[in-house]
């Protein structure tokens, strides 16, 4: 699998219908599909570029209202790992937290950031429990984290809420952020 398709539907019922149409129109794997906050429905498909593009185009052509959609070629293995909830351990002397207005744009920005410099995508929270927004956490050395955060900001444009880089974060903050320890 070299390409990821992401579709964020504004309606749950329409999202289920779109997911069904997407997997029927092209030879793609349904990586994950389900509800997120604000009554949205997320669909992730993978496969070769042409199949994923055809699948996402089917969603766009459905006429149903979408919050966002992306076809990400050469998707970072780190993005796939966090989507499968295989979060790695944060390492390095800096963290970045990038907060986004929607999930689909956040996933695309996380992919851009992970490919830009030598960082670890330590966590990706996609819509659930945060009113349909998303955020992701990057770790690494300060310069690499800053470079990746800037790339994410550029990719997000108006979908960016806030981006912060924290040099030398306290271990308890890292633990709380990456592992959800309270």
């Amino acid at each position: 699998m070299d390409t990821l398709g992401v579709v964020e539907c504004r309606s749950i019922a329409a999202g289920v219908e779109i997911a069904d149409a997407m997997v029927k129109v092209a030879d793609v794997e349904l990586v994950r599909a389900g509800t997120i906050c604000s009554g949205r429905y997320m669909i992730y498909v993978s496969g070769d570029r042409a199949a994923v593009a055809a699948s996402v185009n089917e969603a766009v052509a459905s006429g149903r209202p979408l919050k966002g959609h992306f076809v990400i070629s050469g998707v970072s293995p780190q993005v796939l790992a966090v989507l499968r909830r295989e979060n790695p351990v944060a390492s390095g002397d800096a963290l970045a937290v990038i907060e986004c207005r929607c999930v689909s744009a956040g996933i695309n920005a996380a992919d851009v950031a992970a490919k830009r410099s030598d960082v670890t995508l330590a966590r990706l929270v996609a819509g659930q429990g945060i009113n349909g927004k998303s955020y992701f956490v990057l770790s690494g050395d300060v310069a690499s984290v800053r470079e990746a955060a800037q790339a994410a900001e550029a990719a997000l444009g108006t979908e960016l809420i806030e981006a912060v880089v924290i040099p030398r974060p306290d271990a308890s903050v890292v633990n709380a952020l990456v592992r959800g320890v309270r």
Side-chain angles (χ1 to χ4, degrees):
M1 188 257 331
D2 66 346
T3 304
L4 179 70
V6 180
V7 175
E8 186 172 357
C9 305
R10 292 186 185 268
S11 159
I12 295 166
V16 174
E17 179 183 52
I18 289 170
D20 182 65
M22 289 174 69
V23 298
K24 287 178 178 174
V25 76
D27 183 21
V28 294
E29 174 192 348
L30 184 62
V31 174
R32 196 162 117 196
T35 60
I36 61 171
C37 288
S38 299
R40 295 187 202 150
Y41 195 81
M42 289 299 305
I43 305 162
Y44 306 96
V45 297
S46 65
D48 68 50
R49 172 118 175 90
V52 171
S55 182
V56 171
N57 286 341
E58 180 72 15
V60 172
S62 73
R64 299 290 195 165
L66 304 178
K67 175 70 176 162
H69 62 281
F70 288 91
V71 173
I72 305 170
S73 291
V75 65
S76 167
Q78 293 190 70
V79 170
L80 294 174
V82 295
L83 286 176
R84 292 183 178 120
R85 296 183 174 97
E86 301 166 358
N87 294 3
V89 175
S91 60
D93 59 353
L95 283 181
V97 181
I98 315 295
E99 185 178 0
C100 318
R101 295 190 193 289
C102 69
V103 175
S104 53
I107 291 170
N108 184 61
D111 182 68
V112 167
K115 290 175 183 173
R116 176 58 60 94
S117 64
D118 186 20
V119 294
T120 298
L121 181 58
R123 186 163 190 206
L124 172 66
V125 177
Q128 200 56 36
I130 54 175
N131 201 28
K133 299 188 300 182
S134 65
Y135 72 90
F136 57 95
V137 179
L138 304 168
S139 66
D141 67 72
V142 175
S144 295
V145 169
R146 286 191 196 284
E147 181 182 20
Q150 290 172 347
E153 289 178 52
L156 284 165
T158 61
E159 294 296 322
L160 174 71
I161 294 174
E162 185 82 36
V164 298
V165 174
I166 305 167
R168 297 174 313 284
D170 186 273
S172 63
V173 172
V174 174
N175 224 14
L177 182 62
V178 176
R179 291 177 197 84
V181 176
R182 295 180 186 183

